[in-house]
Each structure stands twice: as C-alpha cells, then as structure tokens.
Amino acid sequence: MLYINCPHCGMRSQNEFSYGGDASVKRPELNKEVSDQEWDNFVYNRKSLRGKHLELWQHISGCRQWIKVERDTTTHEIFRTFKADEEVA
Amino acid sequence: MQKYSIFNLVKNAFSNHQYWDLAWKDPTPKEEYDVVIIGGGGHGLATAYYLAKEHNITKVAIIEKGWIGGGNVGRNTTIIRSNYMHDENGLFSEFGMDLWRKMSQDLNYNVMFSPRGIINLAHSDAQMNAYARRGNSMRLNGIDAVLLNREQVKEIIPMADFSDNVRFPIFGGLMQPSAGTARHDAVAWGYARQADSMGVDIIQNCEVIGFDVNAGKIKGIRTSRGNIKAKKVGICVAGSTNILAEKLNMTLPIETHLLQACVSEPVKPVLDKVVTFGAGHFYVSQSDKGEMVMGGDLDGYNSYAQRGNLPTLQHVLTEGIAMMPFLSKLKMLRTWGGIMDMSMDGSPIIDKTHIEGLYLNCGWCYGGFKATPASGWTFAHTIAQDRVHELNAGYSLNRFSTGHLIDEKGLGTKTWIS
C-alpha cells in the first residue's frame, strides 16, 4: 500500500487516489501553430522514467484535487508531493 | 544436438541421466555478429530461432541482462488465444495459433500446449451483442468462435455464480474452443535449445549499456561484457524498452507498468477452460499441477518494480470471487509481478526505426506470451528482409502520429477507462 501525502488533506492511503500519469507532459500552447510531432508527444509519447518520476494523481475519494507526486518507479518511495499548480524545483 | 525421444530417455536412464547434453551453451560474446537480439525472453529467443530456421542467419547473439526464462516469459499466466476483433490482431494471432499447434514437434520439446478453450463471460445484453459482433469478426478471419447462452455456459462451468442474487449475472459468453494454455518455461527453454543448436549465441548476465550509431546507421552495442559489433540489432525487451529507448534519444508511445498474477494451492481438477470475467478484469485457469492461476488489472501506476501491491490484488480477487465463489476457500500459494510495455492503444509494435539496422519489438501489454511464436516469426522476417511482413504491417511505430491506431479495447496504459 502506498501512502500519499495530499497537500490539501494530509497523509492518505493509495485507495483514495486515482493515477493520472506523467506530470511533466505539457499541452501545446493554444493560439499557435502546433505540429503533428508536438501533438504526438503530448498525446502518446512518454519517457516512462526508471527512478524519480513526477506524476499526477487525483484525490478522487477525498478532496478531488489533482496533485503532483514525486515517486521512485523502482522502489515506489514517495519523496515529495505538490499542489497541481505549484512549480516543482 | 541430442534428440529428446523415448529411446534417448531409456538409454540415458541406464546412466542415471548424468550424461545428457547441456540444453544450451554459455558462450563468451564474439566481436561481431550479423544480428544481435537484445532480450532473451520468449520473443527474443523465438526471433533468433526463426532467423536461423527461416532465413538462414545463424551469426546471431541474444543478449540477456538476467537469465533465460527469468522475465515475463516465466511470469505470465500462460494463456494462448486469438479471439480478437480487428483484422491486424486476429490474423496475426491466428497465424501464431498454427505455430503453437506445431510447436512441440517443431522444437522437439514438449511445451504442453493444451487447447482447452477460453470463455469470455458477458453480463449484459449489450455485452452479448458486442461478443456476437466480435465472434462474427473472428469467424470471418477463420478463427473459431462460439456464442454461448446462459444455459450453455452453466453446462461448461457450473462452478460459476449462477444464483439470482448477484451484481453481475452471467448472460452468456464468447468461447474460442481452440484457445488454451502452454507451459511457459518450456517455451523459453525449447526455443533457446533449438536456437543454440543452430549456432545462436545465448549470452546471459550481459547488460546493454549503450548503442554505437554512426550517420543514422547502427554499428553495434556496448555491454557490461564489452563492445559487440553488429550489422543489425533488434530490441525485444518488454518492460525495459523505455530504458533502452532513452539511450537512443527515442521517446516511445509506451509506458512501463506492473502486472500481477497469483496461484492458489493445488486442488483436484475443477476447471477445464480459461475463463474471463466480463464485468471487470479477471481471468482464471487451472494448471496441470492443480493450481488456480489468476490475474487481472495493472497496479495502475508507472513501475519497474517486478513486485506488486496488495490493493490491486484484493481488487482483482474480489472480481474472481464474484465470478466463482469457491475461489474464496482456496489458500494463496504465490503472487508475483512483471513489468509490461503498455502501448497507448493496447496493441504491439513490430517495426523498423529511424535508425538503419535497428528494429523494435514492444508494446505487448497483457498479451505477450501468446504472441511469442508469431512475434518471433514476424520480427525475424522484419530484421532479415529489412521490411515488415504483411502480418505485422499494422503494428507500425508511426501509427500513433498517422492515426491508424488498433484500438482493440482502446485501453492502453489508462486502465481506469474501462
């Protein structure tokens, strides 16, 4: 069982969360010419890092907020969590 | 190579089976090969075997980081089927079914192929309609499919829950009678033994740490046991695909996820079919040893751990008990996990890459084991001829940018969509 520290609610068990994938993926800018390759990278292509991975989770059975979680994809250790709009240094 | 036969078995019995040949050798890497296959799993071994057998290319090395049979080929739930609706998947898998039927003879190795049939249960009228459509598509592609009503299913698997008071009553099911199971280790060992006998070097405990690419052309690989020159390189590493892609500055439409399976204690024969639950993701079959072999959903987040987490196991087994209540009485014997190369449309990739002489075989999601022979056969063709075979033409790498997805279930990495 993973324990995720929701920045809004505190430490909660994994059962309350839903996974949202790689948080480093950026949607192409609106009002700008977007190439097929850029759409491809946004929709499909993923680095799927081994080791530290910044990812989105939604606290679906809690505050329902999206959050960012920095987690190790090999050990499953969770290092830090952030609000969705927080900049990650 | 010593042939495995009843006569050789008797002959070797006189010497207490001490003098059998090694099934495969343990060579040191040579300086150069015509083809290097990275990944000594089922697909890699099959690729090397068909390169030698179908294309007469025997200066081949298989580079395996761990040991033969230690990855997903030894971690799956051994199910073999071709019950797909889309032409690309159906024709490819049915070609594979033919190879499965001949495999034990072909490899001179008993892979214990058991075509016992698979039943996908339906739990609503809409699902029955969808299965009727899938069954018809299968039959048009020459694959056997039988639509069963509730009574017919009850006759075949009476131990499923047919009581009135269930959340997901069984309306019927779609059966592929020719589907089944095989002994997964034997598949790896059989391919390894034959490939080795035809001159393929199986190099274990050898990790790939880099690639030598010059002017858009592959020149060789760098490994923990030295540099190896190669005219062609095939990548066939399932859950580790993204790790190698990073070394090539490639970003692929693939995420690595964790999939668990488990077996119960062995019990007397009770289930002679593979059965899947239609209102969730759970499947079960009974092994020859009597264990109930079960599996289902991904753990749901990116992982390279090869080690599962309990919430998913609980979720999957809850579905199992809803389908077959007697499972709740069984003790669990083992659980384990493997890392899957989950493609974004749930279908695999067997293709050339933008680097000349570099070929990619990945994206097998939940269904890598059953594809072993067909994957090896088509990947060998793609490498040897430097062009895709019509069977794997749909499994292209660029289908995501061109929009030609093969969305059999449309799931891919996003399991919550179901």
Side-chain angles (χ1 to χ4, degrees):
Chain A
M1 179 79 78
L2 304 179
Y3 287 98
I4 300 173
N5 190 10
C6 173
H8 306 282
C9 313
M11 194 66 88
R12 299 297 176 90
S13 83
Q14 166 199 347
N15 292 344
E16 295 187 10
F17 293 85
S18 167
Y19 184 65
D22 191 338
S24 68
V25 178
K26 286 248 173 0
R27 195 182 198 283
E29 296 271 335
L30 287 172
N31 313 320
K32 213 190 94 184
E33 191 66 25
V34 182
S35 69
D36 286 353
Q37 186 61 47
E38 282 174 284
W39 279 123
D40 219 19
N41 288 339
F42 169 63
V43 181
Y44 297 118
N45 292 336
R46 295 291 179 270
K47 289 205 172 77
S48 194
L49 299 174
R50 181 170 58 169
K52 268 191 189 175
H53 188 239
L54 190 70
E55 56 203 21
L56 291 168
W57 289 75
Q58 189 185 10
H59 196 182
I60 194 130
S61 307
C63 61
R64 301 193 63 82
Q65 296 294 310
W66 284 93
I67 61 168
K68 288 184 205 161
V69 176
E70 190 184 55
R71 186 181 61 94
D72 191 301
T73 55
T74 306
T75 63
H76 296 171
E77 183 183 355
I78 292 171
F79 305 103
R80 297 183 293 172
T81 56
F82 308 88
K83 292 176 183 170
D85 57 356
E86 230 174 309
E87 279 299 316
V88 179
Chain B
M1 186 187 60
Q2 222 169 352
K3 195 171 152 60
Y4 290 166
S5 68
I6 183 79
F7 304 107
N8 268 328
L9 191 68
V10 171
K11 195 176 117 195
N12 279 279
F14 290 110
S15 51
N16 283 328
H17 298 290
Q18 289 179 76
Y19 303 109
W20 284 102
D21 289 348
L22 284 179
W24 57 87
K25 296 177 281 293
D26 185 21
T28 43
K30 295 193 188 90
E31 212 166 276
E32 189 177 357
Y33 292 95
D34 289 341
V35 179
V36 165
I37 306 290
I38 305 171
H43 292 214
L45 293 163
T47 304
Y49 169 68
Y50 292 114
L51 275 173
K53 186 183 173 223
E54 305 284 340
H55 305 280
N56 265 330
I57 301 174
T58 55
K59 226 179 142 195
V60 176
I62 293 171
I63 308 294
E64 167 58 43
K65 182 186 169 194
W67 68 97
I68 298 305
N72 291 346
V73 71
R75 291 168 188 263
N76 56 75
T77 46
T78 78
I79 297 166
I80 293 159
R81 59 188 175 84
S82 59
N83 53 358
Y84 286 103
M85 189 172 84
H86 287 292
D87 290 349
E88 293 91 342
N89 291 330
L91 295 171
F92 177 89
S93 304
E94 187 56 18
F95 176 78
M97 292 302 293
D98 274 340
L99 295 174
W100 278 112
R101 290 180 199 112
K102 293 181 270 186
M103 191 182 288
S104 290
Q105 298 300 324
D106 189 28
L107 297 180
N108 179 227
Y109 206 103
N110 185 4
V111 299
M112 296 164 75
F113 177 52
S114 161
R116 60 184 69 182
I118 186 168
I119 299 176
N120 301 126
L121 293 180
H123 306 272
S124 66
D125 283 326
Q127 208 167 9
M128 282 300 282
N129 288 341
Y131 279 171
R133 182 180 176 221
R134 170 139 71 105
N136 285 333
S137 301
M138 287 164 62
R139 292 173 75 130
L140 285 172
N141 280 333
I143 305 163
D144 55 330
V146 184
L147 194 66
L148 306 171
N149 62 29
R150 181 178 161 94
E151 279 63 42
Q152 290 167 312
V153 173
K154 194 173 179 180
E155 207 151 283
I156 301 170
I157 47 166
M159 75 295 282
D161 195 344
F162 288 93
S163 58
D164 299 329
N165 227 358
V166 291
R167 172 69 182 82
F168 298 108
I170 295 169
F171 276 54
L174 181 67
M175 178 161 73
Q176 186 193 0
S178 67
T181 61
R183 171 132 164 74
H184 51 196
D185 305 304
V187 175
W189 298 336
Y191 273 122
R193 176 169 162 268
Q194 284 294 344
D196 177 89
S197 80
M198 289 190 283
V200 173
D201 279 357
I202 299 173
I203 298 157
Q204 304 178 70
N205 301 307
C206 181
E207 182 178 0
V208 171
I209 47 183
F211 294 85
D212 286 323
V213 181
N214 194 350
K217 198 172 175 342
I218 195 86
K219 295 290 175 194
I221 57 169
R222 276 167 269 152
T223 77
S224 57
R225 294 172 67 175
N227 294 353
I228 300 171
K229 282 186 223 151
K231 294 190 183 80
K232 292 176 176 179
V233 174
I235 298 178
C236 211
V237 294
S240 303
T241 305
N242 291 90
I243 301 171
L244 290 185
E246 197 189 345
K247 297 180 199 301
L248 290 157
N249 287 323
M250 288 169 77
T251 316
L252 298 173
I254 281 181
E255 271 182 13
T256 296
H257 282 254
L258 178 63
L259 182 61
Q260 296 191 69
C262 57
V263 295
S264 74
E265 60 185 326
V267 289
K268 287 191 174 177
V270 56
L271 179 65
D272 63 354
K273 293 271 182 288
V274 180
V275 183
T276 74
F277 184 54
H281 196 177
F282 172 82
Y283 45 87
V284 60
S285 64
Q286 189 170 23
S287 74
D288 293 332
K289 286 182 280 186
E291 302 153 334
M292 306 305 288
V293 185
M294 298 170 278
D297 271 324
L298 297 175
D299 272 29
Y301 42 80
N302 292 39
S303 175
Y304 286 90
Q306 291 190 313
R307 188 183 64 243
N309 206 340
L310 285 176
T312 303
L313 202 56
Q314 184 180 28
H315 168 73
V316 166
L317 292 176
T318 304
E319 294 174 27
I321 291 165
M323 184 176 91
M324 291 185 179
F326 82 96
L327 293 173
S328 70
K329 306 289 182 198
L330 299 177
K331 292 185 183 67
M332 197 62 74
L333 195 64
R334 292 192 306 278
T335 80
W336 65 93
I339 52 172
M340 306 297 123
D341 35 340
M342 302 302 295
S343 69
M344 294 295 160
D345 62 355
S347 298
I349 295 160
I350 307 177
D351 204 357
K352 300 160 65 167
T353 64
H354 68 284
I355 297 168
E356 198 186 328
L358 185 75
Y359 306 85
L360 192 61
N361 180 336
C362 61
W364 291 98
C365 301
Y366 305 92
F369 176 68
K370 61 142 198 296
T372 303
S375 163
W377 196 95
T378 51
F379 198 37
H381 181 280
T382 305
I383 294 172
Q385 313 272 333
D386 194 39
R387 62 185 165 86
V388 295
H389 189 269
E390 60 179 16
L391 283 169
N392 64 316
Y395 293 160
S396 63
L397 181 55
N398 72 355
R399 70 175 182 269
F400 298 91
S401 42
T402 60
H404 295 86
L405 304 192
I406 309 170
D407 51 346
E408 186 76 35
K409 262 185 111 179
L411 272 182
T413 61
K414 296 175 179 55
T415 52
W416 62 88
I417 289 174
S418 69

